[in-house]
Amino acid sequence: MAKKTQTAVAPKPEKKPAAKAAKPTQTVTAVEMGARQREISVSEFFTKNRHLLGFDNPRKALLTCVKEAVDNALDACEEAGILPDVTVHLEVVESGGTPPPASQATRFRVTVMDNGPGIVRQHIPRIFAKLLYGSKFHRLRMSRGQQGIGISAAGMYGQLTTGKPVKIISRTGPKAAAHYFEVQIDTKKNEPLVHENKQVEWDQPQGTQVSIEVEGRYQKGRASVDEYLEQTSIANPHVKLIYRTPEGETKEFPRTYHELPPAPREIKPHPYGIEFGMFLKMLHDTKSHQVSGFLSSDFCRVSPHVADEICKTAKVSPGGKPRSIHGSVAETLYKTIQTTKIMAPPTNCLSPIGEKAILSGLYKQIKGEFYTAVSRPPTVYRGNPFIIEAGLAFGKGPDEAAKTTQASAPLAEGEERDEDSELARVIRYANRVPLLYQQSACATFKAVLDTTWRNYGITQSRGALPAGPMVIFVHMASVWVPFTSESKEAIADYDEIQKEITLALRECGRRLGLFLRRRERAQSEYRRRNIFELYIEEVVEACNRLKGGKLPTEKLKAQLQKIASSRTGGLKTDEALGKAGAGPEGLPHSIIVTPEGIEGEVEVAAAVPSVVPPTEEAAQVEWLDEEKPVGTSSKQQKRASKKLSAPSAKRSGKHADQLGLFSVETPSGKNAVAAGKAGKSGKAPVARRKR
Amino acid sequence: MAQTAKHKKNGVVEKKLVGLADLVVTAAQRSKDPTLAIPIRALSNVSFNERKGMIEMGHKKQARSFFNVGMAKKFMQTMLVADALSELQRAALTTSLREIYYRTKHTIQDSHENTFDTQDESDPIIEDLEVSLAALREELHVRAENGGSVVGPLVLEDDGDRVDCAKLGKGGYSVPSIVEPEYVDIRRCTADFVLLVEKGTQWNRLSEDKFWRRYNCVLLTGNGQPPRGVRRLARRMHEEYRLPVYVLVDNDPWGYYIYSVIKQGSINLAFESQRMAIPKAKFMGLSSADPERYGLPRNVGIKLNEKDITRAKELLNYQWFQKPAWQQEIKRMLSSGLKYELDALANKDFQYLTKKYLPRKLKEKDWLD
């Protein structure tokens, strides 16, 4: 049917008679056609296909520019072993007259500054104004950037939409001079054009600053610059991020983790992960003179012994020249390699975020009651090692939770309190970079859907995300993350990857399930007592009225309360609910937040640098003192003093110091309790306030 | 006279209610869980006394204790209702079930929980108190709605007013929920029998056609399951004036059950059987044999639904439906797969019920016992 219409329509234009009548005579000769053939420069290709790089619409383009610049900054800092301080500045550029409000503006200047190693002067033009130029493509090493397209593409986009060059200031050290560049890209030749090059005064001792003017749209919400930076901060708690919004606000994402992630090592490609074409190219380019040498030195996990074995089975002379291997021989060799048993690639080339850092990041940015993190052991897909990490933050945070339980107007008949039915939020990362688009095409998202959350006490409709106040964090670290497109938006779902994500999510789910069940159990005990306490009041009043108001009500109440307490586990319930300051619940790599404080990997949460002025700390102690539940003090005091005298090995020394500090500052025994608590929970409000 | 009778009863019931408070106090003093024993109101706890021909309540009781999560709320509610009931006693007022619900409903202090959410929660508690205190609902000063009507040669005295049910047009007298002698006195009754009709519509038909005048009977209806007042009034006429009682209901399982409640008493309030049940009441119709006998076309029947069938099968197992005639009656309905409404008789003629059906039934003495 479709074919028919095609043939019917296609010949309709005026070409039809010509094609039919002049069938024997050629209209265009091969020579003429040949003359039309021209080289396409990469830059030209990308100007036409900018959606492939994430510049499809103005809003996304703005995000992509920020993203590319920030990714580069972080990669550079980490590679140089510097804890990154990154400043992102978005400004509205006025096009004559008064600048429009940020939400209406169409032109922005994106400025990203880091404290990295800086860039050597000679390289600056090509790094920022030549596509497919970079340090990361030719080596297998885990990094945010991969192809060397990003920042130059952002520059090219700016050039296309505003005509303005990319402005760079870079300084390699306090003693070196700061260089200022203005570069553009020659889209035909894919070569940089330097407009301006001078030495300038710069207040930064070291680092790089990139400034690009682009056409864009600033809109908050999903997949916005704000969201991207927030998520970046979650997965990179070792980064200090300062963000000046186009509206003039300054948001600071503090550093909560003071260690750099271990530097990933570079590895050679694993033979299983290489395609035939690539293999041929490697054969041609190798520095080795012998096939066996080529195999053992250009690939990882191929020992000379294994190399000889491969040559033997492929019937290739081990001493032959690699360059002389062509065609079918090369193919046999390639196939033999694929069938030979070779060890999995080394996994020390990966730098996972780590459970503690994930917890710290989640805790810092997301309000919740329960946090957990799981790092899977490294695995391999297509010869590329990778690690999956998952995290989970559940709940609304103690403040929110308290708000909802507050009684509103009494219910009339038929009325019900409406329940929240919000769905979980999935935040995805590849090599620590947040992925904001194409969620449903991503392997991580599919794995979240495929996990049976109902097993862990979470409601989930068929084929939908689990429901509840929950943030699910998934990170894939790999030397080569398989993206579904060049704009790096979704991870392709290889079975191996999918399986690892599912396993990590299940572990998170299991812990969440445990937490929820325990809390449920403790609460039902508590509720039991609670309802008795509520009803005792009613029953006693009713009895009193029945008896004509002649009953010793207080006595009766006390008697009944005593029975209630003895029948519902008494103090045990208090402990299970953490009311008596009981310890964590034995869940690995988790944080539990209750209105009274936090439990679990406390040092992670408390790892906020104590730059808070002492006055505020004192105020906090007082505040906690007021909030402290009455009637549990003696027991707590014992507990607290135990902690003070012998801080457990699990706690970092720093934390112990903090505790000590508090106890010195507060003289009375009662305050020491509060101080002990402050060490646990006092940090939480500080971190929150900064948000 | 009525006043003194009321007062006499008050003392007893109020004492019983106050006894509940004492129970709580003593239990608390002994550090025991306050527990009420409430007779079970279910099929499992009733037995059919064949000699008396009525349902009697057994002795099984269930404990309702305060310090049990599942029962705590009910216990608290029971105490609240008891309190409200004793308030009525003291003030010598009567009230409705719904008013009790509103009277006892409030939000518990320091919470957003209501003592009662719907009336469905308070009604069973009143019944619980009725059975566990062995007090009648009237004695508790709780009345149901006036659910029935009566017309016929019957003279009553209600609150000092003389009510001649033969002179009340076609609307008749609305039967109050409490018809005990101290509230409603039967002055005179010259009827030959009592006809209790399930449906108000058919009662209207009979009343409009002055059926009662022609056949000298008292026409009663309860608009569905007859309320206590109607049952009690029928029982009193049956007892005090030796009038036979005939029951006219739809031909469906619910109709059969209505008849059985009038005759033997209900399962739920079996303890009231001895005051309410009329073991000699006769089932006049609609019988499953009637459609054939009276030539009702099949197309005025209604197909039995799932619920009807299960209910009918339950009835087959009830002890008081074990007579062969009844087994045959129910099985016939099941095998035909159809039920018939009284109203279906109008298919033949608007006045078929008055002019043909009932006269023939009475003439042939065609009824079930």
Side-chain angles (χ1 to χ4, degrees), chain A residues 500-516:
Chain A
E500 280 297 307
I501 301 173
T502 310
L503 287 173
L505 288 175
R506 278 190 200 151
E507 180 57 30
C508 285
R510 253 191 301 277
R511 289 180 195 165
L512 175 64
L514 265 176
F515 163 74
L516 288 176

Side-chain angles (χ1 to χ4, degrees), chain A residues 636-646:
Chain A
Q636 255 183 7
Q637 203 165 317
K638 266 185 214 157
R639 221 179 275 260
S641 60
K642 219 187 243 170
K643 274 180 193 163
L644 285 176
S645 57

Side-chain angles (χ1 to χ4, degrees), chain B residues 74-288:
Chain B
K74 270 209 164 155
F75 187 94
M76 180 269 292
Q77 292 173 331
T78 312
M79 296 309 292
L80 286 177
V81 170
D83 173 36
L85 291 175
S86 97
E87 191 186 330
L88 286 176
Q89 294 289 330
R90 266 176 272 133
L93 294 169
T94 66
T95 188
S96 68
L97 291 170
R98 188 135 185 96
E99 278 176 330
I100 297 250
Y101 159 63
Y102 281 128
R103 180 74 190 127
T104 50
K105 178 171 188 163
H106 57 259
T107 302
I108 300 172
Q109 219 179 359
D110 299 329
S111 77
H112 45 234
E113 192 179 337
N114 285 329
T115 48
F116 293 91
D117 283 322
T118 63
Q119 196 189 333
D120 299 343
E121 289 176 46
S122 68
D123 286 0
I125 286 181
I126 295 168
E127 288 178 353
D128 285 343
L129 283 172
E130 278 176 54
V131 292
S132 47
L133 301 179
L136 298 170
R137 193 172 293 181
E138 298 79 69
E139 292 173 332
L140 293 176
H141 291 201
V142 179
R143 54 186 144 74
E145 277 174 46
N146 295 357
S149 309
V150 61
V151 71
L154 173 74
V155 181
L156 303 169
E157 190 182 292
D158 183 357
D159 272 358
D161 296 334
R162 199 185 114 94
V163 180
D164 187 346
C165 297
K167 293 181 178 163
L168 291 171
K170 45 181 174 287
Y173 170 67
S174 161
V175 183
S177 79
I178 304 177
V179 292
E180 294 309 305
E182 56 270 29
Y183 294 87
V184 177
D185 192 29
I186 303 179
R187 280 300 174 81
R188 194 157 56 92
C189 181
T190 55
D192 293 332
F193 64 92
V194 175
L195 184 64
L196 212 167
V197 189
E198 176 189 351
K199 283 197 162 164
T201 52
Q202 297 312 303
W203 182 88
N204 280 336
R205 157 72 38 232
L206 293 168
S207 171
E208 194 179 291
D209 294 350
K210 301 288 178 211
F211 178 85
W212 57 271
R213 194 166 281 162
R214 186 155 179 183
Y215 288 88
N216 192 30
C217 66
V218 171
L219 285 177
L220 258 175
T221 181
N223 296 318
Q225 180 69 266
R228 291 157 187 248
V230 172
R231 282 169 62 197
R232 180 71 185 135
L233 186 63
R235 162 77 181 251
R236 283 186 66 194
M237 287 188 276
H238 172 73
E239 214 169 45
E240 294 166 26
Y241 292 87
R242 310 259 156 228
L243 300 185
V245 174
Y246 301 108
V247 180
L248 188 63
V249 292
D250 282 347
N251 179 234
D252 59 25
W254 319 101
Y256 293 150
Y257 188 69
I258 287 172
Y259 164 71
S260 91
V261 167
I262 293 165
K263 190 178 167 78
Q264 288 102 3
S266 72
I267 296 168
N268 199 17
L269 294 170
F271 71 102
E272 293 205 318
S273 295
Q274 38 186 315
R275 260 171 12 96
M276 300 279 194
I278 309 165
K280 284 183 182 158
K282 303 284 188 282
F283 176 81
M284 184 165 273
L286 224 45
S287 156
S288 55

Side-chain angles (χ1 to χ4, degrees), chain A residues 195-244:
Chain A
H195 288 280
E196 182 87 67
N197 173 13
K198 60 183 181 196
Q199 287 195 8
V200 289
E201 284 292 308
W202 202 34
D203 53 358
Q204 296 290 317
Q206 195 181 6
T208 308
Q209 175 182 307
V210 192
S211 183
I212 308 171
E213 216 176 295
V214 294
E215 201 177 279
R217 226 166 87 72
Y218 177 74
Q219 194 183 11
K220 288 181 185 174
R222 286 224 127 187
S224 60
V225 175
D226 301 51
E227 194 189 25
Y228 164 77
L229 291 176
E230 191 199 329
Q231 291 192 10
T232 303
S233 158
I234 293 175
N236 302 278
H238 63 285
V239 176
K240 182 185 170 195
L241 250 178
I242 295 168
Y243 168 41
R244 294 208 187 92

Side-chain angles (χ1 to χ4, degrees), chain A residues 621-640:
Chain A
V621 171
E622 266 174 41
W623 170 75
L624 274 155
D625 201 19
E626 275 168 21
E627 293 284 303
K628 199 170 71 69
V630 197
T632 48
S633 64
S634 68
K635 202 169 179 185
Q636 255 183 7
Q637 203 165 317
K638 266 185 214 157
R639 221 179 275 260

